Amino acid sequence: MAEPVLSLSGLRVEFETIDGMTPAVAGIDLTVHRGETVAIVGESGSGKSQAMMAAMGLLATNGRASGRADFGGVNLIGLPKAQLNEIRGRKITMIFQEPMTSLDPLYRIGDQLIEPIRRHQGLGARQARARAVEMLRLVRIPDAERRMRSYPHELSGGQRQRVMIAMALANDPEILIADEPTTALDVTIQAEILELMADLQKRLGMAMVFITHDLNIVRRIAHRVYVMRKGEVVEEGPTAQIFAAPRHAYTRDLIEAEPEGRKPPVPSGVPVMLDGRNIDVTFALGGGLFRAPQLLKAVDGVTVRLRQGQTVGIVGESGSASRRWRALCCGCCQARARSGSRIATSPILAGPRCSHCGAGCRS
């Protein structure tokens, strides 16, 4: 097999705390080859993210790393910041779980894309802008030219994550590190992002390190898997082998940890606590003295009945109004139901505060 593009050897990470040095990564070895996807899995606190943060030189100020992280014959551990900055953002890039913590809310998307392109490629303003638009189109952002002028809050969660992927790939990196990049997204958007990343990896020929706790994602996208627990790699191997014949007890526990069982139905005679029938919610957007507002229908003819002791799941992707419906049932958000619609609630619902808007619920 060819030489790995990234190799971690005896990598240790510790954090200085008031109780002394606390270990987070305990001397792990890990390799990534060009064009492959390596998944690092484990529960929260297993050290999977800190290992990659150490390799990127992104540990918190109280973090200490030792060992080796070899990239192109250079040990990244302890490398001066100026030299690290020539590698990260250009040859190794990283995207995180929540894009809103990485995107600056005060700057337009285009400006945030153009800056690293100019920094690492030395392009002029016009060339960098063209490259930024090209990357937005590559990650399937519709109307890329217009979106260059948007602020992060004007994009959906899936679009923001696509922008982060565009930013990470704009300088043609050799390695993309993705730290739980789909956890905060709806399942449908999650599937789109995973498909996009797999497609871009094949087209660009880069290596990818995928950090996650979701074994379903690992099964779908990874070539090899490293399983971490308490800062140590307890098992590693090809994905198919790990799932078919796990050797370590912890790996078996992870694979067998899928929830089982069903909630029993409530008896038919249990009283109805909430009865919502044919509910519509419409919002007026814009408008003015000489212009009629645009009407946006957020809830369209929804009917739900909830009995005492019963659990009803309301699920849907962003924009499906699942939270709006919940708030409407509580009677604590500004909304109007159309003529003939009805919401009836039992007094048992009065009192708690709505997690949607913070107001006290009214029956």
Side-chain angles (χ1 to χ4, degrees):
M1 182 177 288
E3 286 293 315
V5 65
L6 177 68
S7 177
L8 307 185
S9 305
L11 180 64
R12 295 181 177 274
V13 177
E14 297 179 309
F15 289 92
E16 187 175 350
T17 69
I18 59 174
D19 297 320
M21 299 303 292
T22 301
V25 178
I28 69 168
D29 297 334
L30 180 150
T31 58
V32 183
H33 292 86
R34 193 176 305 279
E36 76 167 344
T37 298
V38 170
I40 307 176
V41 301
E43 61 195 20
S44 296
S46 62
K48 55 189 187 297
S49 295
Q50 295 305 324
M52 289 298 107
M53 295 287 274
M56 290 283 285
L58 295 175
L59 289 176
T61 54
N62 65 330
R64 307 288 182 266
S66 61
R68 296 190 64 85
D70 289 303
F71 173 77
V74 176
N75 181 17
L76 303 179
I77 304 301
L79 199 66
K81 184 177 180 180
Q83 292 178 256
L84 267 177
N85 285 340
E86 294 301 316
I87 296 174
R88 58 188 183 190
R90 177 64 191 266
K91 297 180 179 180
I92 306 177
T93 56
M94 194 167 186
I95 57 176
F96 299 92
Q97 176 176 335
E98 178 46 68
M100 280 299 280
T101 63
S102 301
L103 293 170
D104 192 320
L106 302 180
Y107 289 88
R108 298 180 189 273
I109 292 300
D111 295 331
Q112 298 187 60
L113 276 166
I114 289 170
E115 181 182 0
I117 293 174
R118 297 193 67 181
R119 165 69 176 78
H120 289 290
Q121 298 186 39
L123 299 179
R126 182 174 296 181
Q127 293 172 302
R129 177 180 173 78
R131 175 63 172 169
V133 173
E134 176 190 355
M135 293 309 301
L136 288 184
R137 289 174 178 154
L138 183 67
V139 298
R140 305 171 195 170
I141 292 282
D143 200 358
E145 285 278 3
R146 181 173 66 85
R147 285 307 187 187
M148 288 281 288
R149 300 188 297 272
S150 298
Y151 289 93
H153 72 271
E154 296 176 308
L155 304 181
S156 70
Q159 288 174 327
R160 287 192 292 265
Q161 196 61 286
R162 288 173 189 267
V163 169
M164 290 305 304
I165 294 173
M167 193 179 298
L169 301 184
N171 293 306
D172 297 322
E174 297 181 41
I175 305 173
L176 172 64
I177 301 172
D179 190 354
E180 303 273 12
T182 61
T183 301
L185 302 177
D186 304 315
V187 289
T188 52
I189 306 301
Q190 180 186 89
E192 292 176 7
I193 294 295
L194 291 174
E195 178 189 358
L196 172 66
M197 294 178 70
D199 177 59
L200 292 174
Q201 182 191 29
K202 290 178 182 177
R203 292 168 62 179
L204 302 176
M206 63 183 177
M208 187 161 64
V209 178
F210 206 97
I211 303 168
T212 185
H213 63 271
D214 191 330
L215 293 180
N216 288 324
I217 292 177
V218 172
R219 195 192 299 262
R220 288 173 55 186
I221 70 167
H223 298 104
R224 291 190 299 119
V225 182
Y226 287 82
V227 182
M228 289 191 66
R229 182 172 187 249
K230 296 182 178 180
E232 298 180 346
V233 172
V234 297
E235 186 166 356
E236 63 94 8
T239 304
Q241 175 186 308
I242 292 291
F243 280 91
R247 301 185 302 274
H248 196 278
Y250 177 68
T251 309
R252 291 193 293 270
D253 289 343
L254 285 179
I255 295 173
E256 296 169 359
E258 292 294 325
E260 296 180 353
R262 292 174 177 266
K263 189 175 179 67
V266 297
S268 58
V270 171
V272 174
M273 295 289 100
L274 181 144
D275 192 6
R277 305 176 191 175
N278 303 318
I279 301 302
D280 285 359
V281 177
T282 303
F283 292 93
L285 304 179
L289 184 61
F290 301 107
R291 185 178 61 181
Q294 178 185 356
L295 298 181
L296 173 67
K297 180 166 283 190
V299 179
D300 187 5
V302 174
T303 296
V304 171
R305 173 173 289 185
L306 179 66
R307 296 182 179 274
Q308 187 174 19
Q310 183 182 32
T311 300
V312 173
I314 302 177
V315 300
E317 61 188 31
S318 297
S320 65
S322 55
R323 295 177 64 192
R324 182 63 59 186
W325 162 247
R326 177 185 66 194
L328 177 63
C329 290
C330 293
C332 59
C333 291
Q334 297 293 329
R336 288 184 177 273
R338 71 183 177 189
S339 176
S341 300
R342 175 174 178 263
I343 295 180
T345 61
S346 162
I348 197 171
L349 290 179
R353 302 188 71 81
C354 176
S355 61
H356 181 82
C357 68
C361 298
R362 303 186 301 274
S363 60

